[in-house]
Amino acid sequence: ETAVFQTPNYHVTQVGNEVSFNCKQTLGHDTMYWYKQDSKKLLKIMFSYNNKQLIVNETVPRRFSPQSSDKAHLNLRIKSVEPEDSAVYLCASSYRVGQDTQYFGPGTRLLVL
Amino acid sequence: GEQVEQRPPHLSVREGDSAFITCTYTDPNSYYFFWYKQEPGASLQLLMKVFSSTEINEGQGFTVLLNKKDKRLSLNLTAAHPGDSAAYFCAVRGTGGYKVVFGSGTRLLVSP
């Protein structure tokens, strides 16, 4: 049963464009995450929000910015995409920070031409 | 901060064989451990969550071992079948900060 929703599923764009990805969870969780998964399946945490507060902000290029309107939504904007941004972006949520199971969305696959 | 190393990156076994995946971590006070499974084209799903107090954890068709002395977390798929073909990720919650640190993943292929 899907409870973490991501849109779009796929996005193809050109270098220099701006893209936005949306994530919504219906589990009532307090914490949400954005991960980047590259072509080798390597999973890297990018950002984490707890109750709309940014709590984890890894070293990512400044063109990436998360946006949270409420604790059920966490969006990701990439301003001026680069070829190395091509990846699958996974959103996840958990009841509390760190210690709980994370529930992952289906991912958004980004291809930058 | 916590660092997690997962081995092997690729594993190929025959149906009915065991598949063994190991993660080593650095923070001796880590207390939550996770194994996730990612089937082809799908997202990650939890296989098992383990607390630091339990060293042997039995699941359906697999066992998770936690060796705190060696700081090693292992997943043993007993009698693997083709449906087990997937990427497997360990994750460890250390004591510093809020992060759960993921291993680099193991791609398992189980052939008939």
Side-chain angles (χ1 to χ4, degrees), chain B residues 11-17 80-85 108-112:
Chain B
L11 181 59
S12 189
V13 302
R14 286 194 167 177
E15 185 172 9
D17 289 349
H81 56 86
D84 292 329
S85 296
L108 172 66
L109 178 63
V110 183
S111 51

Side-chain angles (χ1 to χ4, degrees), chain A residues 7-47:
Chain A
T7 56
N9 294 328
Y10 300 94
H11 191 81
V12 182
T13 190
Q14 300 206 330
V15 170
N17 286 348
E18 178 176 314
V19 298
S20 284
F21 304 147
N22 301 312
C23 181
K24 170 188 170 183
Q25 54 96 0
T26 58
L27 295 164
H29 289 167
D30 284 348
T31 309
M32 295 185 73
Y33 312 80
W34 275 111
Y35 291 88
K36 180 181 179 181
Q37 187 171 40
D38 63 21
S39 58
K40 295 182 179 177
K41 292 281 192 182
L42 202 62
L43 203 63
K44 289 186 179 178
I45 181 76
M46 300 176 71
F47 302 103

Side-chain angles (χ1 to χ4, degrees), chain A residues 38-63:
Chain A
D38 63 21
S39 58
K40 295 182 179 177
K41 292 281 192 182
L42 202 62
L43 203 63
K44 289 186 179 178
I45 181 76
M46 300 176 71
F47 302 103
S48 179
Y49 269 73
N50 186 55
N51 269 320
K52 299 196 297 175
Q53 300 284 333
L54 181 64
I55 57 169
V56 173
N57 184 2
E58 289 299 286
T59 305
V60 298
R62 292 181 65 180
R63 59 181 180 277

Side-chain angles (χ1 to χ4, degrees), chain B residues 39-111:
Chain B
E39 295 182 352
S43 198
L44 281 80
Q45 288 198 309
L46 181 74
L47 261 186
M48 182 173 276
K49 176 183 176 181
V50 174
F51 297 100
S52 60
S53 57
T54 309
E55 294 191 339
I56 301 175
N57 302 268
E58 300 281 352
Q60 270 201 322
F62 63 90
T63 303
V64 171
L65 304 171
L66 178 62
N67 182 327
K68 289 183 286 185
K69 175 176 170 287
D70 294 341
K71 297 194 288 289
R72 187 184 303 129
L73 176 73
S74 302
L75 172 66
N76 185 27
L77 294 161
T78 51
H81 56 86
D84 292 329
S85 296
Y88 292 83
F89 294 87
C90 64
V92 181
R93 167 71 158 98
T95 49
Y98 298 103
K99 283 191 304 183
V100 169
V101 180
F102 280 79
S104 52
T106 295
R107 290 199 203 185
L108 172 66
L109 178 63
V110 183
S111 51

